[in-house]
């Protein structure tokens, strides 16, 4: 019983004025938690131009275009153009397809 209320409080239910935090996220191995550590520039296809390797890492890390361009020290327009170059090099039309194609090519190169 909670002091002074006469009612018991269910575990996991926030008190008045508290925010619900949700269940704790399960601990994942480092490679499962960080996709860029599983497949980044280090496992990019060997024919990928070197100026596109940082773009692969930025896309896999989930950064916004603005953040990625700032961290790479290039303009947002240059970043967008390099993403387009990467997609063209991979012969795909979306970023999602690009990620899938990078993984497919890295797996076929490893075997």
């Amino acid at each position: 019983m909670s002091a002074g209320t006469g009612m018991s409080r269910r575990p996991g239910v926030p008190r008045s004025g508290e925010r619900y935090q949700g269940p704790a996220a399960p601990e994942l191995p480092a490679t499962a938690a960080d996709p860029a550590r599983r497949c980044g520039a280090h496992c990019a296809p060997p024919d990928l131009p070197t100026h596109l390797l940082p773009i692969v890492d930025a896309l896999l890390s989930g950064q916004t275009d603005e953040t990625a361009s700032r961290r790479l020290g290039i303009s947002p327009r240059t970043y967008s153009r390099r993403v387009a170059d990467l997609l063209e090099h991979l012969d795909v039309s979306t970023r999602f397809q690009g990620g899938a194609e990078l993984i497919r090519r890295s797996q076929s190169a490893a075997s």
Side-chain angles (χ1 to χ4, degrees):
M1 301 269 263
S2 297
T5 63
M7 297 175 18
S8 64
R9 188 168 93 56
R10 293 185 306 180
V13 176
R15 297 174 194 262
S16 178
E18 291 180 341
R19 294 185 97 163
Y20 176 69
Q21 297 298 318
E27 287 295 317
L28 297 173
T31 55
D34 185 2
R37 289 184 66 184
R38 280 186 288 158
C39 183
H42 65 277
C43 68
D47 64 332
L48 192 67
T50 56
H51 74 283
L52 296 179
L53 295 176
I55 305 303
V56 170
D57 284 335
L59 288 170
L60 290 173
S61 71
Q63 300 172 26
T64 64
D65 286 7
E66 184 178 320
T67 300
S69 66
R70 195 173 331 114
R71 288 189 179 165
L72 294 173
I74 58 178
S75 74
R77 175 68 183 109
T78 298
Y79 180 80
S80 294
R81 193 174 63 249
R82 289 187 183 170
V83 169
D85 290 347
L86 174 66
L87 297 179
E88 183 179 334
H89 180 81
L90 297 172
D91 196 29
V92 297
S93 56
T94 68
R95 293 177 183 210
F96 183 86
Q97 290 171 332
E101 183 64 15
L102 281 170
I103 291 170
R104 187 190 69 72
R105 288 186 185 190
S106 69
Q107 288 175 343
S108 62
S111 48

